[in-house]
Amino acid sequence: MTGIDLATYAVQERSSAGRRIREAAPSARSEFQRDRDRIIHSTAFRRLEYKTQVFVNHEGDLFRTRLTHSIEVAQIARSIARRLKLNEDLAEAVALAHDLGHTPFGHAGQDELNHCMREYGGFEHNLQSLRVVDALEERYAAFKGLNLCFETREGILKHCAQEKARELGEVGLRFLNNKRPSLEAQITNLADEIAYNNHDVDDGLRSGLITIEQLSEVSIFASHLAEVRKQHAGLSERIQVHETVRSMIGTLVTDLIEQTEMNIAEQQIETLEAVRIAPRLAGFSNEMEAQQRELKKFLHKNLYRHYKVMRMSNKARRIISELFHAFIEDPRLLPPQFQLQAEENKPLAVSDYVAGMTDRYAIKEHRRLFAVEREY
Ligand code: MG
């Protein structure tokens, strides 16, 4: 919990850079557990249930949503953190918050909103996740946002352009000084990658958009599938896929732990400060890195660019763009609290409103604004 057993280079609660607004220490939980709890109780967290990455919510009940994705990332990040004697509570908090700033409709939504916002500084979901926890959540009497610890906030901010970093103060400094975040943040970032590559294989197969035969071109999938078939004869295809995905996750996690341990030893890392100034320590072996890249390339070409996915992405872009421009042209269409915000900064108010929508809310709102044949 509070980490007597943590590695010397882990984030220790007692040396945390703290919260922006000072608060009394929690009595029955750690500071990072408190962060996790605040994230789970936030509105943005609940909305993750109805936001998607590849498949849009109404396409089926079995596909991953951003909520189940975030829970999978937390599970993987915690396992890795525990094995490396890192701060598990911090890794969990970062994992659960990492996608809070995502727009509806996954990458298509993010790209379109970024495009709409190009004259006003752009839109970046990472920065938006930080904005959600720093400013947009309204739940506490004493502060805006969730007032999370510095280490949780730096973990949420995975990347950031220099000019933006300058506006962010302390949490943006590492992008200007070429420093790294904690190991907890680094491993959670890679846990995200492990989670989505593997669940996209699973969801892709379930949807029928990709097949086992196609995936057999990909070495990591092919070798694990062959092993599963060798070990168990006569398994149904469904179980073969589950076993293969399960074993790919296991292999990636183990590889990441071993390689990161080696990097830590090689660089003789003993303190958190050393983690911050060293080159990135968390990583896969070269071989595993190459296998991951091959899998990503496959998914990109065969799943994310599948014509059925492209059709939905195209619709998604249109919805985002039309909503954005309708509100920019006439902010009186915005709900009252966003109208107020728009008086100060119209593009930002519209971007916050659109980014906060779930997939189905965006579809509904689009209908409310554009459908003439029915009243909504
Ligand atoms: Mg993610």
Side-chain angles (χ1 to χ4, degrees):
M1 271 232 319
T2 43
I4 328 158
D5 282 316
L6 294 186
T8 53
Y9 42 76
V11 171
Q12 307 278 347
E13 194 182 312
R14 61 179 179 276
S15 50
S16 164
R19 302 175 188 277
R20 293 204 292 178
I21 313 278
R22 273 190 75 116
E23 292 184 62
S27 55
R29 49 186 175 166
S30 76
E31 292 284 5
F32 298 116
Q33 285 175 334
R34 172 150 77 177
D35 280 4
R36 175 206 55 202
D37 298 347
R38 286 183 178 180
I39 291 158
I40 288 177
H41 288 276
S42 70
T43 308
F45 187 73
R46 280 192 300 284
R47 287 186 183 151
L48 293 176
E49 186 174 0
Y50 302 103
K51 292 193 183 201
T52 47
Q53 201 161 342
V54 180
F55 299 93
V56 172
N57 220 279
H58 60 257
E59 290 177 294
D61 291 342
L62 295 176
F63 298 122
R64 265 67 170 192
T65 65
R66 292 239 174 238
L67 180 64
T68 58
H69 162 71
S70 300
I71 294 169
E72 289 181 29
V73 175
Q75 177 271 312
I76 293 170
R78 286 182 60 182
S79 304
I80 299 167
R82 185 176 294 204
R83 277 282 305 277
L84 292 174
K85 293 195 160 48
L86 298 172
N87 196 316
E88 204 177 316
D89 295 336
L90 171 59
E92 184 182 21
V94 172
L96 293 176
H98 87 282
D99 269 353
L100 290 179
H102 259 286
T103 60
F105 312 122
H107 295 298
Q110 132 90 31
D111 290 350
E112 190 56 41
L113 190 53
N114 185 30
H115 183 71
C116 293
M117 284 289 285
R118 66 197 179 282
E119 291 162 40
Y120 318 107
F123 175 87
E124 217 282 301
H125 64 84
N126 251 295
L127 271 174
Q128 190 70 7
S129 296
L130 189 67
R131 193 168 151 68
V132 166
V133 300
D134 278 356
L136 296 182
E137 281 289 326
E138 291 179 331
R139 321 184 65 79
Y140 297 90
F143 44 79
K144 281 185 103 180
L146 305 179
N147 196 34
L148 302 181
C149 294
F150 172 83
E151 293 75 11
T152 310
R153 296 171 60 235
E154 79 160 352
I156 292 172
L157 195 64
K158 279 191 276 192
H159 20 249
C160 181
Q162 298 240 333
E163 66 213 76
K164 295 268 180 191
R166 243 166 249 129
E167 296 163 17
L168 290 174
E170 211 188 352
V171 77
L173 273 182
R174 80 168 198 269
F175 299 96
L176 305 173
N177 303 339
N178 188 28
K179 285 191 177 184
R180 255 59 55 200
S182 69
L183 267 163
E184 286 81 352
Q186 294 184 32
I187 57 136
T188 305
N189 190 10
L190 294 170
D192 184 21
E193 208 173 291
I194 296 176
Y196 66 69
N197 282 329
N198 283 284
H199 63 51
D200 288 353
V201 165
D202 188 40
D203 283 350
L205 287 169
R206 182 181 290 107
S207 66
L209 299 186
I210 53 175
T211 63
I212 292 186
E213 288 64 43
Q214 280 178 303
L215 263 165
S216 302
E217 299 164 14
V218 181
S219 53
I220 189 169
F221 186 86
S223 60
H224 284 85
L225 177 66
E227 192 53 37
V228 167
R229 285 179 173 164
K230 205 171 92 191
Q231 302 242 334
H232 319 271
L235 287 183
S236 73
E237 214 163 71
R238 203 56 238 152
I239 306 269
Q240 284 182 30
V241 170
H242 285 316
E243 284 287 348
T244 304
V245 169
R246 199 170 68 82
S247 124
M248 287 198 298
I249 294 176
T251 303
L252 287 161
V253 165
T254 307
D255 183 88
L256 174 56
I257 290 167
E258 287 171 2
Q259 186 62 46
T260 304
E261 270 172 342
M262 267 162 56
N263 296 346
I264 291 168
E266 220 172 81
Q267 301 274 332
Q268 301 177 321
I269 301 296
E270 275 167 18
T271 63
L272 177 58
E273 201 29 56
V275 169
R276 294 188 185 286
I277 56 177
R280 191 167 60 90
L281 293 162
F284 299 101
S285 63
N286 288 338
E287 198 208 320
M288 202 52 72
E289 183 74 54
Q291 291 197 14
Q292 282 254 91
R293 222 176 301 128
E294 188 197 3
L295 174 61
K296 264 193 218 171
K297 233 173 119 187
F298 171 89
L299 288 171
H300 199 82
K301 179 170 163 235
N302 297 288
L303 182 61
Y304 311 144
R305 298 250 170 264
H306 191 285
Y307 81 97
K308 287 188 178 166
V309 174
M310 293 304 289
R311 285 180 184 184
M312 191 57 226
S313 304
N314 192 279
K315 271 191 261 186
R317 284 173 186 277
R318 205 168 314 133
I319 291 172
I320 296 290
S321 168
E322 287 176 0
L323 285 175
F324 182 87
H325 290 109
F327 294 128
I328 286 286
E329 272 155 40
D330 191 350
R332 290 172 306 178
L333 305 178
L334 287 165
Q337 75 269 31
F338 289 98
Q339 283 193 34
L340 271 181
Q341 198 196 329
E343 284 169 19
E344 278 167 41
N345 186 336
K346 187 169 72 171
L348 192 60
V350 173
S351 156
D352 282 344
Y353 181 45
V354 173
M357 293 178 185
T358 61
D359 296 1
R360 59 182 192 175
Y361 185 91
I363 292 168
K364 241 191 197 166
E365 187 73 335
H366 186 266
R367 240 184 257 146
R368 283 192 285 251
L369 287 182
F370 292 97
V372 285
E373 70 274 21
R374 244 173 91 182
E375 263 186 62
Y376 289 94

